[in-house]
Amino acid sequence: MKISTKGRYGLTIMMELASRFGEGPISLKSIAQRHELSEHYLEQLIAPLRNAGLVKSIRGAYGGYVLAKSPDDITSGDILRVLEGPISPVEFSDEDDPAKRYLWIRIRDSITSVIDSTTLRDLITYQDDGRTDNYMFYI
């Protein structure tokens, strides 16, 4: 399972809004410039986030977007489901083999557990400890 640019850039937008929570609206243009992303693409992503009640738009010369809720109350799962759809590695309901179906369900449930327990606050306050979990396997 791969998260597309929709999910990745959507998290970027939401983390920017979370990092400035309570400071007033932020324009998509400033987010796009800061992260070297297409403002037009971000405009396409913000609409479903607004429709889902995760962000609010503020009109006017100093308008932009703000989080609709506290960064503590929005999970990465909330964001990814809006932009990516249901989170599942495969369509396991079509799986005839019960052992494989059980594996796909366990994978889905593990992913769900992680994304639903990781809030925007967790993401914006994360401190890298320098460890990496990159493993190299040689055959």
Side-chain angles (χ1 to χ4, degrees):
M1 182 180 128
K2 255 186 157 169
I3 303 296
S4 72
T5 57
K6 287 163 100 177
R8 293 183 9 238
Y9 293 175
L11 278 173
T12 298
I13 293 169
M14 297 297 283
M15 288 173 67
E16 279 290 322
L17 297 178
S19 68
R20 296 192 176 102
F21 185 68
E23 296 178 11
I26 300 157
S27 71
L28 286 183
K29 182 176 185 172
S30 68
I31 296 172
Q33 288 173 341
R34 182 179 179 130
H35 293 277
E36 298 180 358
L37 301 172
S38 162
E39 182 181 357
H40 179 67
Y41 191 47
L42 298 187
E43 287 170 357
Q44 294 175 22
L45 300 179
I46 201 78
L49 294 169
R50 188 182 66 243
N51 293 339
L54 298 177
V55 298
K56 294 182 195 174
S57 60
I58 310 293
R59 294 179 173 259
Y62 300 101
Y65 294 90
V66 296
L67 291 182
K69 305 183 240 183
S70 163
D72 296 309
D73 297 328
I74 300 173
T75 68
S76 56
D78 297 332
I79 299 160
L80 292 173
R81 279 188 198 84
V82 166
L83 297 172
E84 298 283 349
I87 305 297
S88 184
V90 295
E91 187 59 49
F92 57 82
S93 60
D94 295 338
E95 182 63 63
D96 292 331
D97 185 331
K100 288 182 196 173
R101 186 172 41 252
Y102 176 66
L103 174 64
W104 306 142
I105 291 170
R106 287 183 55 215
I107 291 170
R108 180 210 54 200
D109 291 349
S110 295
I111 293 168
T112 298
S113 174
V114 171
I115 64 175
D116 286 345
S117 65
T118 305
T119 66
L120 280 176
R121 174 82 59 214
D122 296 330
L123 293 173
I124 63 173
T125 60
Y126 174 76
Q127 296 291 315
D128 187 4
D129 61 6
R131 291 184 303 159
T132 61
D133 291 335
N134 298 331
Y135 298 99
M136 183 65 70
F137 294 97
Y138 296 96
I139 298 176

